[in-house]
Amino acid sequence: MIHCENWRPASIGSPPRLGLAILAMAMALLAAPVAMAAGAADSVSETGGPIRLVPPRSSEQQQQDPQQDRAANQTQQLPGQRGRFDLERPPVYVPSEFERHVQKMVPPDVEIRRFGAELMTNQDRTAQQPAEGNNRVPADYLISIGDEVLVAIWGSVEADLRLTVDRGGRVTIPRVGPVLVAGLRYSELADAIDQRIGKVFRNYRVSASLGRLRSIRVYVTGFVQRPGAVTVSSLSTLVNALMQAGGPQSAGSFRNIELRRAGQLVTTFDFYDLLLKGDKTADRVLQAEDVVHVGAVGTQVALIGSVNRPGIFELKTGESVGDLVAMAGGFTAVADRSRLAIERVEDRANSRINELQLPRDGAQRPNSGDVVRAFSAADTALPQDRQNKRVRVEGEVQRPGEYILPANSTINDAIRVAGGMTSSAYVFGTDFSRESVRAVQQVNYDRALRDLELEFTRAATTQKASTGEDAAVQASRAQGSTLLIERLRNVRPSGRIVLQLTPDSASLPDLPVEDGDRLLIPAKPTTIGVFGSVFNGGSYLYGRGGTIGDFLRLAGGPTRGADTGSLFVLRANGSVVSSRQKTGWFMPGTGLDSLHAEAGDTIFVPEELNKTTLAQEVKEWTQILYQFGLGAAGLKVLKN
């Protein structure tokens, strides 16, 4: 069992040569098994001295035989089973019928599983058994056949021994003899070896520990992924064996796991104690021929929605809705903690869904198959007349910023909270924007763009080109229409509401505000803008008493290609005055020449879109007259 050199007490002198030869033969017989394993021969020094042992075997030499290693890690089967399970890969998770039903009730990016299923399906083989070299051997560990005992002796005797407990439950120490260790607790091992060595040697110290431990066979039965006999380390516990067997099936319980030994119930393990509380006190170290039995799953209830850990939970008798929420990690930060919705399987034919008020109904006990939903308070909105309003006030006020106003507040309330207007405020130019209006404007604007695009497409497909020149003109128009549509798509409505103020207004209307409103009161502008098809577009200094015609003349007036009949003026309050409002369809002139200009006005003269050259007009009139002549000739024939 061991291999050593120069084994002898350090205090004894050199024995006679005959005695030394006899001692060498005895030591060779004792050390033969280990000598063959280590590949070295025993030798005894003639001069005496302290014991020198060969270095411990390397990690490669200490490995088990590959066949033994495979046998220790494969699942042994119960009678009647066929084939073997592959422990190299975790088992494939198969959701139950209830899990598939609940999965349809949540968004696609949310995966619903049984609570605790990930712990089992994500395990690999190295995680299923404890690493012996890294685990502390408990003091009450019972030493048995196959365990490796490490013995270190120093002082008058030096030794470093690796001994394996034989089938008789003993380890054999050279020059000392066999020591019965099977059945001893780990805490008693060092004393037992010390007591035996003390009968032979004096003035020494001894240390004893455990090396490689034996493997044991236990049985995992019931609703597990891989039922049958499994070989585990003697340090393994109920949890290790259960994980090595793949864990409970979809029909297996996480809360009713029994450890049976010699027909007696040792402990009942609840996996939820470990997963939720970190409590592993009910876990027990396994012994050979133990049975780990997983019972059928109990009451299953799904909890989805605004909880920290949505999933399907197994409840014990007496556990309530409040316990269910606690298992899911409680509500999220934005959850509505005042209510829950519960959908019962037995009520699907009538009311189907009921609402639970918390904490009043927190003690209610759900039934198997129930689906409980928690709601998000972020998705809940109060009526407008009960909401506080968040309003931003900017521009010419004493304290610009964002304010929270009580329900039913108005624009003037917002101005008062901001400290009132300054002396430079231009009330007529107030810009009041609202998010709800912007959303409606965006929908209508997109609809108008689709109609415009459809109209352009229809016009392009119905027009026929008689010449190459006409075809080129139509292609140019189609290209311009496409470019116009693309530019219009980049325009976004602002949500501005025209307050219909007069230029001499000193206050704003009592319009109720909504959450997200923006109120901008500008300073009084000093310019008027003239843009579009004019000779010199730009901004011109505003002077009281000036008219629209005066500012058009400052810009050089409309160009030859201007559409003066479509001229319009955009006022500072957001309203528009157009020449068509002033003239009508058949009245010439812009009609806005005598209109008084106001500070902040923007005058725009559009370009005429439907332009035709003189040659095109002559050609079109020639065709009309020709067709008219044919028509007149036809009438003459009919008359005759």
Side-chain angles (χ1 to χ4, degrees):
M1 299 297 289
I2 61 172
H3 179 237
C4 60
E5 296 179 356
N6 300 337
W7 175 271
R8 59 175 296 159
S11 59
I12 302 177
S14 299
R17 294 184 178 274
L18 178 61
L20 182 61
I22 297 174
L23 178 61
M25 293 177 59
M27 291 300 297
L29 291 175
L30 288 173
V34 176
M36 290 188 294
D42 293 324
S43 62
V44 180
S45 171
E46 297 182 1
T47 60
I51 299 171
R52 297 185 181 90
L53 300 180
V54 295
R57 290 174 295 171
S58 64
S59 58
E60 290 80 2
Q61 293 172 328
Q62 295 174 21
Q63 294 293 331
Q64 280 185 320
D65 183 76
Q67 294 182 356
Q68 296 176 355
D69 185 66
R70 285 194 297 271
N73 286 282
Q74 283 184 336
T75 300
Q76 302 179 19
Q77 297 170 305
L78 292 175
Q81 289 184 324
R82 297 180 180 179
R84 288 186 179 274
F85 294 101
D86 185 8
L87 292 182
E88 297 290 343
R89 294 176 296 177
V92 177
Y93 184 77
V94 180
S96 64
E97 181 182 9
F98 184 46
E99 289 175 87
R100 295 194 297 269
H101 165 67
V102 178
Q103 187 66 59
K104 299 175 183 178
M105 306 172 68
V106 298
D109 58 335
V110 178
E111 184 180 22
I112 296 297
R113 284 190 175 187
R114 288 183 66 194
F115 181 67
E118 295 85 352
L119 182 65
M120 298 300 175
T121 56
N122 291 338
Q123 296 295 326
D124 56 18
R125 190 177 71 170
T126 60
Q128 290 164 359
Q129 299 190 58
E132 298 172 358
N134 298 328
N135 280 8
R136 181 184 180 90
V137 180
D140 58 350
Y141 176 79
L142 292 178
I143 300 171
S144 185
I145 299 170
D147 286 338
E148 185 181 50
V149 179
L150 307 180
V151 179
I153 309 173
W154 66 96
S156 61
V157 179
E158 295 182 3
D160 190 1
L161 311 175
R162 288 180 175 269
L163 312 172
T164 302
V165 181
D166 60 18
R167 294 184 180 275
R170 297 166 297 182
V171 293
T172 302
I173 301 176
R175 296 292 305 275
V176 174
V179 182
L180 182 64
V181 294
L184 295 178
R185 300 185 184 276
Y186 176 59
S187 59
E188 302 168 346
L189 176 64
D191 291 339
I193 294 178
D194 185 23
Q195 183 178 5
R196 184 68 180 86
I197 295 176
K199 295 180 179 180
V200 179
F201 299 107
R202 297 289 184 272
N203 301 323
Y204 68 91
R205 301 294 297 275
V206 65
S207 172
S209 61
L210 293 177
R212 183 178 295 277
L213 303 180
R214 70 188 185 279
S215 297
I216 60 174
R217 184 178 63 178
V218 298
Y219 299 90
V220 184
T221 62
F223 295 88
V224 291
Q225 299 280 359
R226 295 189 289 254
V230 295
T231 302
V232 295
S233 164
S234 56
L235 280 182
S236 296
T237 65
L238 178 153
V239 173
N240 300 132
L242 184 61
M243 294 172 69
Q244 185 169 339
Q249 295 177 344
S250 58
S253 174
F254 274 89
R255 312 200 64 181
N256 183 23
I257 303 170
E258 297 178 347
L259 174 60
R260 300 172 182 173
R261 182 173 299 155
Q264 301 294 323
L265 178 64
V266 176
T267 184
T268 300
F269 186 73
D270 185 348
F271 234 111
Y272 279 23
D273 288 341
L274 174 61
L275 297 176
L276 296 174
K277 308 173 186 176
D279 184 3
K280 200 169 176 284
T281 54
D283 194 15
R284 295 288 188 273
V285 176
L286 298 175
Q287 297 183 14
E289 302 302 312
D290 280 353
V291 176
V292 178
H293 182 76
V294 178
V297 66
T299 300
Q300 286 188 295
V301 179
L303 180 56
I304 58 178
S306 295
V307 290
N308 289 313
R309 208 294 186 184
I312 295 175
F313 299 87
E314 182 180 352
L315 302 185
K316 286 185 173 181
T317 302
E319 290 182 328
S320 63
V321 171
D323 298 323
L324 177 66
V325 175
M327 291 177 187
F331 293 105
T332 63
V334 297
D336 183 357
R337 301 167 184 264
S338 64
R339 61 193 181 100
L340 293 171
I342 182 168
E343 178 178 342
R344 301 187 183 277
V345 175
E346 60 268 20
D347 293 340
R348 291 182 65 87
N350 41 57
S351 61
R352 184 175 179 178
I353 299 178
N354 299 316
E355 186 168 283
L356 304 179
Q357 299 297 322
L358 298 179
R360 184 190 66 189
D361 298 328
Q364 191 172 128
R365 298 174 184 176
N367 299 326
S368 187
D370 287 353
V371 179
V372 182
R373 183 185 296 272
F375 298 99
S376 172
D379 298 333
T380 304
L382 291 172
Q384 286 289 338
D385 60 347
R386 295 173 55 190
Q387 290 185 17
N388 290 338
K389 308 301 189 297
R390 178 177 52 86
V391 179
R392 176 170 290 277
V393 183
E394 301 173 339
E396 294 299 319
V397 292
Q398 299 293 341
R399 294 188 300 272
E402 193 171 74
Y403 295 94
I404 305 299
L405 304 180
N408 301 322
S409 297
T410 64
I411 294 178
N412 290 317
D413 294 330
I415 296 296
R416 282 192 292 271
V417 171
M421 301 181 191
T422 66
S423 58
S424 301
Y426 187 41
V427 180
F428 179 67
T430 299
D431 185 350
F432 181 62
S433 303
R434 176 164 288 175
E435 181 62 26
S436 61
V437 173
R438 188 204 63 78
V440 175
Q441 288 177 349
Q442 185 67 56
V443 172
N444 294 332
Y445 184 73
D446 293 340
R447 184 184 298 113
L449 273 183
R450 289 194 297 269
D451 295 342
L452 181 62
E453 188 175 13
L454 181 61
E455 185 66 27
F456 282 160
T457 304
R458 186 183 295 112
T461 55
T462 55
Q463 290 180 355
K464 296 182 179 180
S466 57
T467 63
E469 183 181 356
D470 293 342
V473 171
Q474 292 179 12
S476 178
R477 287 180 179 175
Q479 184 178 4
S481 301
T482 302
L483 182 60
L484 176 62
I485 291 296
E486 291 300 324
R487 289 182 177 178
L488 290 176
R489 289 189 189 280
N490 295 327
V491 178
R492 292 290 181 265
S494 63
R496 181 175 182 179
I497 299 176
V498 178
L499 298 179
Q500 300 175 357
L501 301 171
T502 60
D504 57 350
S505 296
S507 62
L508 298 174
D510 278 337
L511 178 68
V513 295
E514 292 183 5
D515 188 62
D517 284 353
R518 174 179 172 270
L519 185 64
L520 172 62
I521 301 177
K524 188 172 183 177
T526 59
T527 60
I528 287 182
V530 183
F531 301 100
S533 188
V534 294
F535 285 98
N536 187 24
S539 297
Y540 296 90
L541 189 63
Y542 169 72
R544 183 176 293 277
T547 64
I548 299 298
D550 295 335
F551 288 97
L552 277 175
R553 283 187 287 273
L554 289 175
T559 63
R560 184 177 179 180
D563 183 6
T564 56
S566 300
L567 182 146
F568 64 90
V569 179
L570 177 62
R571 296 290 193 186
N573 69 338
S575 61
V576 176
V577 182
S578 69
S579 59
R580 295 186 181 275
Q581 294 174 296
K582 297 294 183 180
T583 61
W585 183 259
F586 293 103
M587 297 177 64
T590 64
L592 297 179
D593 289 345
S594 60
L595 180 67
H596 285 286
E598 300 293 342
D601 282 352
T602 299
I603 304 170
F604 189 81
V605 183
E607 186 83 11
E608 188 174 0
L609 295 179
N610 296 324
K611 297 179 182 178
T612 57
T613 63
L614 179 61
Q616 289 174 331
E617 291 180 355
V618 171
K619 180 180 178 181
E620 291 174 359
W621 279 106
T622 302
Q623 291 177 348
I624 292 172
L625 292 174
Y626 173 72
Q627 294 173 359
F628 180 75
L630 290 179
L635 289 174
K636 186 176 181 181
V637 171
L638 290 175
K639 182 178 180 180
N640 294 334

